[in-house]
Amino acid sequence: MLPRGMIEVVSTPVLLLLGRGKDPESERGVDCPGDLPAPSDPGLVERARAAKEALGDRVFVLGHHYQRDEVIQFADVTGDSFKLAREAAARPGAEFIVFCGVHFMAESADILTSEAQKVVLPDLAAGCSMADMAVLAQVEKAWELLQDKGFADSTIPVTYMNSSADIKGFVGRNKGVVCTSSNAKRALEWAFSHAEKVLFLPDQHLGRNTAMLELGYSAQECVLYDPHKPNGGLTDEQLRGAKMILWRGHCSVHGRFTLECVNDARERVPGVNVLVHPECRHEVVTAADYVGSTEYIIKTIEAAQPGSAWAVGTELNLVRRLANAHPDKQIMFLDKTVCYCSTMNRIDLPHLVWALEELVAGRVPNQITVDPGTAHYARVALDQMLALP
Ligand code: 13P
Ligand code: SF4
């Protein structure tokens, strides 16, 4: 209890949980101004429909596969992060791109669309905890270390799409490439044809899984750079012997699946097929039957035999949607504990209605813009990805 008259200073993490305040460490904002409709408003579906209709072809709504059903029903197109960015770029006629996904995806859409198009993120607090694990100043420090040790000239930076525009810009400036979970193998093959080592950002699991399972590198050749430790926690010896310098980042959703989850699913459902995303830990991916990107997971389930059983290790909104769409197949979540991507879930129907109605009223809410300097080099790294053989 504080003495009378004193104001309690609420700590930053508490404020952030409430979706208020500013987080200097985050690639996204945490404020969401605006007069949001109540989630209990029974007219929300009708309001979203009416606002979308009023905007017509001026608006194009993108929905990532991990979005809630209440939002996905209004998406003009659904897809993974890369497909959505391309879809936005392929709609030069749409004045407004409403991105139902997370901040780094909206940034990529802004980079790939024309000056005239405005990208809107219905809730600025929809960020990505993995993207936040690689901050530009930390990455520049890591690069300086590689320069000091004489390794930078023989290293190419590769960043996963799930990173901030700043990081993509860094990678573009240093002659690297962006990759997605569908083309990580090709991106690494390209990088290793130009250099001895790769600095892989920010997802250690996608980097390790691709390097070890697809390119045949050993665990010793994949070292982990921890931005919170001096010299990344690595000795000169480790750096010298490394092929992959993996950034210590991970996805808080996919990182939850464990080997026990896989064993447990196999015990509960004999003959079950275990299908996981490459953002899962190495031991999970190794124990699984099938591994691939979100789009791969969807295609695999679509092509599966009726009656077959699947334990799927990816975000729950998608797994549930797949289960509903394929009642002839037994589709279950790999973990027994429910887990959504909490930041993806920030975009809900009230935020979508608010964003669309603001556009109808002639205001552009929560516009995501990337500064031209960063956008230029981020585009270089994205274009390099598009040019991969
Ligand atoms: P994709 O959308 O590229 O499959 O990535 C998965 C993910 O975690 C998105 O945030
Ligand atoms: Fe980020 Fe993982 Fe959520 Fe994707 S699922 S937005 S990588 S935290």
Side-chain angles (χ1 to χ4, degrees), residues 41-53:
D41 180 343
L44 286 180
V45 169
E46 196 36 53
R47 281 171 68 174
R49 195 172 291 135
K52 233 186 133 205
E53 214 173 279

Side-chain angles (χ1 to χ4, degrees), residues 66 102 104 127-130 162 251-254 279 341 343-344:
Y66 298 170
V102 289
F104 73 79
C128 165
S129 51
M130 179 205 283
N162 301 17
C251 165
S252 47
V253 176
H254 294 96
E279 287 174 20
C341 173
T343 45
M344 279 272 181

Side-chain angles (χ1 to χ4, degrees), residues 64-66 79-84 101-102 104-105 127-128 130 160-162 179-182 203 206 251 253-254 277-279 292-297 314-315 318 341 343-344:
H64 188 272
H65 291 307
Y66 298 170
D80 64 6
S81 52
F82 184 59
K83 178 179 165 194
L84 293 180
V102 289
F104 73 79
M105 299 178 185
C128 165
M130 179 205 283
Y160 190 21
M161 191 74 162
N162 301 17
C179 75
T180 69
S181 47
S182 335
D203 184 15
L206 178 65
C251 165
V253 176
H254 294 96
H277 195 281
E279 287 174 20
S293 64
T294 306
E295 290 287 335
Y296 170 87
I297 289 173
T314 191
E315 209 271 347
L318 174 59
C341 173
T343 45
M344 279 272 181

